């Protein structure tokens, strides 16, 4: 057991361990790209060894300056003197893991392709405008309440599309869906950050998208059957599909109200009297999260954001490179995605074949998504690994550009599928045909890693919610831009549009990602120079007097 030091904080006596066999954080940062292929050579961890990682709470001089606020909802379980084993941590994380355009749609409504493009733009604009308001609501109500409410509301709008009768109602439903779904992903990231460390979060987000793919495979089979209902009671098949999918989502949304505890220490309720965790598990869950990121103790999970904190987060120029990535990375895949359904229909695939073609590349997408996320965390790199998506897409875009006017339908399918990250089916039927659509094709899908990257570089709970929303607003803006690249005067081969996509892809690989990495490396070196030049007393004085928060602090380092 560690010996203890007692140091005075502003409100209480804090016990701080001064010597222990803690896991050193830097050992995790020394992985190289070549180490990915050498995992079998690494020693297997002793399950009964200490898993507690060293943090600022083990330094009696620094600990008081990082202590959680008394309003923090989990403060009663935080204990930096607690030690746990690898076996205990693995068991706890496993428990958290366990708990926690087809069918003649446009002609039927009397719509044109331009109407469809406008509907997508309306959806994106509504989605974009709802990002920040959704975060304000989420922080005040708590994501455990707001996320189920969002799901129930968009399920009602989805099933209401059964009664669409023309252009106006179509546009209205797209606007409502966009506004309701705006902020869903940042809300989810905020919620998961209450339970997972910064190294665990990207993989859990990948699992979220992978589980969505599994649902999409099921949805493809449902669509295949339901679209055959065309003519039942005089209704089109796509109407029945909206109704069925809306009802399924409504049931899931209602069930979610009972499956999302507010925090690790708030899982006991009238319908779950025993809760999820024992007292010791709650202590481990809270302590390991704060050891990993002390800023998570800065706010209560029902504490709203002030306008000042929102403005400070917006003005955080160190995250602007990530916003630019959000704007640019999705453009090369957006136009082929939007028009894939119509293109496949035009070259000979029928409605039902088009939907079933989604299944194989959804499975392959899950594999690439899992692999790229693991590589990113193993090598502790985001900038270079994120280039994998553009490297993957580029040859397929070149192939599409070089195809003849009447290509073999299977050659076109493979070329188009390789440049996509969303399926053709979702373009017209899913409630969100956007970046967060559950339909992903088999190229590496990097958005979950990049949004986690943005969250990690925010450095504080208050800014994390705002910055994740701003990142997603730029992602939505990229889709709006993408809708304008394939133009009617360039149809049907879209040669000019594909040249633009190829140029943007090359820019992303050669300039954007390398420049982002260089910027964060430079910023970290700047801070290292200042911080390392301070002695212990100067560091203590800085921590006691600074008004810097989050990633503005001199002791914060950016991930890259």
């Amino acid at each position: 057991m560690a010996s203890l030091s007692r140091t005075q904080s502003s409100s209480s006596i804090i016990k701080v361990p001064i010597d222990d066999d803690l896991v050193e954080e830097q050992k995790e940062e020394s992985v190289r790209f070549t180490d990915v292929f050498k995992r079998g050579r690494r020693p297997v961890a002793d399950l009964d060894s200490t898993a507690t990682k060293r943090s600022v709470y083990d330094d009696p001089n620094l600990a008081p300056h990082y202590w959680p606020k008394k309003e923090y909802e989990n403060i009663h379980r935080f204990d930096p003197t607690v030690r746990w084993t690898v076996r205990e941590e693995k068991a706890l994380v496993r428990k958290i893991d366990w708990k926690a355009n087809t069918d003649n749609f446009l002609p039927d409504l009397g719509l044109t392709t331009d109407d469809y493009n406008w509907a997508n733009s309306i959806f994106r604009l509504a989605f974009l405008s709802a990002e920040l308001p959704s975060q304000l609501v989420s922080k005040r109500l708590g994501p455990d309440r707001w996320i189920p409410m969002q799901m129930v509301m968009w399920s009602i709008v989805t099933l209401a599309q059964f009664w669409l009768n023309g252009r106006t109602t179509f546009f209205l439903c797209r606007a409502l869906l966009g506004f309701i779904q705006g902020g869903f992903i940042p809300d989810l990231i905020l919620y998961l950050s209450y339970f997972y460390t910064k190294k665990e979060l990207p993989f859990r987000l990948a699992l979220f998208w992978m589980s969505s793919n599994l649902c999409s495979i099921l949805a493809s089979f449902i669509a295949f059957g339901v679209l055959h209902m065309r003519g039942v009671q005089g209704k089109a098949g796509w109407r029945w599909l909206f109704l069925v999918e809306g009802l399924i989502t409504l049931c899931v949304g209602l069930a979610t109200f009972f499956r999302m505890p507010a925090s690790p220490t708030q899982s006991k309720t009238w319908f779950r009297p025993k809760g999820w965790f024992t007292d010791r598990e709650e202590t481990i869950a809270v302590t390991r999260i704060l050891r990993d990121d002390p800023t998570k103790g800065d706010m209560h999970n029902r504490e709203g954001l002030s306008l000042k904190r929102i403005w400070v987060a917006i003005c955080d120029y160190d995250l602007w490179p990530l916003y630019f990535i959000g704007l640019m990375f999705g453009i090369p895949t957006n136009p082929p995605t939007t028009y894939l359904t119509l293109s496949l229909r035009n070259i000979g695939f029928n409605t039902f074949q088009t939907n079933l073609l989604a299944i194989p590349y959804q499975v392959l997408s899950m594999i690439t998504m899992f692999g790229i996320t693991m590589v990113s965390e193993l090598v502790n790199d985001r900038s270079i690994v994120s280039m994998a998506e553009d490297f993957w897409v580029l040859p397929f875009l070149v192939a599409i550009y070089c195809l003849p006017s009447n290509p073999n339908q299977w050659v076109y399918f493979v070329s188009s599928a390789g440049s996509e990250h969303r399926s053709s089916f979702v373009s017209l039927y899913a409630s969100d045909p956007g970046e967060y659509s559950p339909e992903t094709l088999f190229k590496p899908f990097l958005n979950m890693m990049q949004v986690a990257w943005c969250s990690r570089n925010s450095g504080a709970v208050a800014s994390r919610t705002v910055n994740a929303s701003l990142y997603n607003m730029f992602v939505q803006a990229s889709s709006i831009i993408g809708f304008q690249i394939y133009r009617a005067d360039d149809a049907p081969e879209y040669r000019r549009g594909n040249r633009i996509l190829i140029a943007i892809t090359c820019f992303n690989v050669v300039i954007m990602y390398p420049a982002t990495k260089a910027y964060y490396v430079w910023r970290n070196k700047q801070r290292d120079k200042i911080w390392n030049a301070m002695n212990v007393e100067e560091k203590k004085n800085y921590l006691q007097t600074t008004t810097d928060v989050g990633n503005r602090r001199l002791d914060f380092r950016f991930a890259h």
Side-chain angles (χ1 to χ4, degrees):
M1 187 68 182
S3 57
L4 303 177
S5 172
R6 299 165 67 87
T7 182
Q8 182 72 40
S9 74
S10 59
S11 59
S12 62
I13 298 296
I14 300 172
K15 295 185 294 182
V16 179
I18 60 175
D19 187 26
D20 212 329
D21 55 343
L22 296 169
V23 177
E24 298 293 342
E25 185 69 22
Q26 59 264 29
K27 291 182 180 179
E28 298 185 1
E29 306 296 328
S30 59
V31 185
R32 300 182 300 273
F33 274 95
T34 53
D35 292 338
V36 175
F37 307 101
K38 302 177 182 178
R39 294 199 69 184
R41 303 179 188 178
R42 301 177 195 169
V44 178
D46 180 2
L47 293 179
D48 295 315
S49 63
T50 300
T52 313
K53 294 182 176 63
R54 190 174 300 281
S55 77
V56 292
Y57 295 114
D58 302 302
D59 187 328
N61 295 312
L62 299 180
H65 309 296
Y66 292 90
W67 208 256
K69 292 184 177 180
K70 61 181 181 181
E71 296 85 6
Y72 177 54
E73 68 276 7
N74 300 312
I75 187 66
H76 61 292
R77 292 292 188 215
F78 177 58
D79 184 356
T81 67
V82 170
R83 299 291 179 264
W84 55 90
T85 65
V86 173
R87 189 189 306 277
E88 287 181 301
E89 184 167 51
K90 285 180 177 291
L92 174 63
V93 174
R94 281 197 301 268
K95 180 180 286 192
I96 296 174
D97 287 339
W98 180 250
K99 300 292 185 183
N101 93 74
T102 55
D103 194 43
N104 302 314
F105 175 84
L106 298 180
D108 285 348
L109 288 177
L111 303 178
T112 66
T113 301
D114 287 341
D115 292 327
Y116 170 61
N117 289 338
W118 272 111
N120 279 331
S121 296
I122 289 170
F123 175 91
R124 296 291 183 171
L125 287 170
F127 195 106
L128 187 153
S129 65
E131 287 279 1
L132 283 177
S134 179
Q135 291 305 291
L136 297 179
V137 175
S138 181
K139 276 300 296 167
R140 175 61 67 183
L141 295 181
D144 56 297
R145 297 172 179 171
W146 181 233
I147 289 175
M149 291 171 64
Q150 286 177 294
M151 295 179 67
V152 169
M153 287 189 291
W154 87 55
S155 69
I156 293 173
V157 177
T158 298
L159 63 89
Q161 292 177 104
F162 178 85
W163 292 278
L164 288 176
N165 58 16
R167 190 170 184 262
T168 301
T169 54
F170 180 48
F171 286 177
L172 178 61
C173 284
R174 301 315 296 169
L176 286 174
L177 283 171
F179 193 79
I180 293 170
Q181 293 182 351
F184 177 76
I185 295 300
D187 294 336
L188 181 67
I189 292 172
L190 174 63
Y191 180 74
L192 292 178
S193 70
Y194 296 160
F195 296 87
Y196 293 107
T197 67
K198 58 179 177 287
K199 292 187 69 66
E200 295 166 347
L201 184 59
F203 178 63
R204 269 64 194 183
L205 289 176
L207 291 178
F208 166 73
W209 264 281
M210 289 167 65
S211 66
S212 296
N213 278 17
L214 289 174
C215 294
S216 299
I217 292 172
L218 177 61
S220 295
F221 284 112
I222 293 174
F224 182 82
V226 174
L227 290 177
H228 280 89
M229 294 176 65
R230 186 174 183 85
V232 174
Q233 295 189 2
K235 303 295 184 181
W238 59 263
R239 294 185 184 274
W240 292 109
L241 188 58
F242 277 134
L243 186 64
V244 170
E245 290 193 336
L247 290 172
I248 292 174
T249 306
L250 177 61
C251 293
V252 174
L254 292 173
T256 304
F257 277 105
F258 303 95
R259 297 295 300 169
M260 294 184 69
S263 73
T265 63
Q266 296 173 308
S267 63
K268 294 180 181 179
T269 65
W270 62 270
F271 56 85
R272 193 170 46 235
K274 293 184 178 180
W276 281 3
F277 311 112
T278 65
D279 290 350
R280 175 167 174 78
E281 285 175 333
E282 288 184 357
T283 299
I284 295 174
V286 172
T287 305
R288 76 188 198 96
I289 290 298
L290 290 180
R291 278 181 167 276
D292 177 72
D293 185 355
T295 66
K296 291 181 180 179
D298 287 347
M299 296 185 71
H300 190 276
N301 61 1
R302 298 280 191 263
E303 183 179 349
L305 297 173
S306 66
L307 292 177
K308 180 180 179 181
R309 298 193 79 166
I310 293 174
W311 179 247
V312 169
I314 292 174
C315 295
D316 184 0
Y317 55 83
D318 281 318
L319 289 177
W320 292 357
L322 293 180
Y323 300 156
F324 187 71
I325 286 176
L327 180 67
M328 296 298 293
F329 93 99
I331 292 178
T333 60
N334 185 273
T337 295
T338 304
Y339 289 93
L340 181 60
T341 293
L342 297 178
S343 299
L344 291 178
R345 293 288 302 277
N346 288 338
I347 63 175
F349 289 109
N350 64 35
T351 296
F352 307 108
Q353 290 171 333
T354 299
N355 282 286
L356 290 179
L357 284 173
I359 296 174
Y361 47 64
Q362 285 163 357
V363 174
L364 291 170
S365 170
M366 294 168 60
I367 297 173
T368 57
M369 192 185 305
F370 175 84
I372 203 70
T373 304
M374 292 301 295
V375 168
S376 174
E377 290 305 308
L378 280 171
V379 302
N380 190 39
D381 185 275
R382 287 134 202 94
S383 307
I384 303 302
V385 174
S386 292
M387 294 165 58
E389 182 169 322
D390 290 293
F391 274 121
W392 180 284
V393 166
L394 184 58
F396 289 103
L397 287 175
V398 172
I400 294 174
Y401 177 75
C402 295
L403 285 175
S405 299
N406 297 301
N408 175 279
Q409 61 187 125
W410 288 106
V411 172
Y412 182 86
F413 167 71
V414 172
S415 299
S416 298
S419 65
E420 308 297 327
H421 54 78
R422 305 182 278 287
S423 86
S424 57
F425 168 78
V426 79
S427 297
L428 286 179
Y429 283 107
S431 58
D432 175 7
E435 192 65 44
Y436 309 117
S437 160
E439 309 282 327
T440 56
L441 305 193
F442 61 84
K443 79 175 183 60
F445 183 53
L446 276 302
N447 190 55
M448 72 284 178
M449 188 180 77
Q450 291 175 172
V451 74
W453 183 13
C454 182
S455 174
R456 186 167 179 169
N457 277 359
S458 299
V461 174
S463 57
R464 182 175 291 120
T465 57
V466 178
N467 294 138
S469 293
L470 290 171
Y471 169 84
N472 283 294
M473 290 171 69
F474 277 89
V475 171
Q476 300 308 313
S478 76
S479 297
I480 296 173
I481 295 171
F483 292 143
Q484 304 305 317
I485 292 179
Y486 279 4
R487 308 293 294 179
D489 62 352
D490 193 27
E493 289 86 11
Y494 300 109
R495 302 289 187 190
R496 182 183 66 237
N498 285 322
R499 283 198 301 269
I500 294 173
L501 297 180
I502 292 170
I504 292 174
T505 304
C506 292
F507 169 81
N508 292 349
V509 170
V510 176
I511 298 177
M512 183 178 71
Y513 284 113
T516 300
K517 186 176 185 68
Y519 175 77
Y520 285 131
V521 169
W522 173 68
R523 289 291 282 149
N524 286 345
K525 287 182 177 179
Q526 275 189 319
R527 294 187 177 183
D528 282 338
K529 185 176 181 180
I530 299 172
W531 185 255
N532 294 337
M534 294 181 178
N535 57 39
V536 173
E537 289 302 317
E538 288 173 330
K539 291 179 180 178
K540 286 177 61 178
N541 181 65
Y542 169 81
L543 295 172
Q544 287 174 339
T545 60
T546 185
T547 58
D548 297 336
V549 295
N551 64 11
R552 313 314 299 168
R553 294 169 64 108
L554 288 175
D555 55 341
F556 181 87
R557 297 297 178 268
F558 295 99
H560 54 79

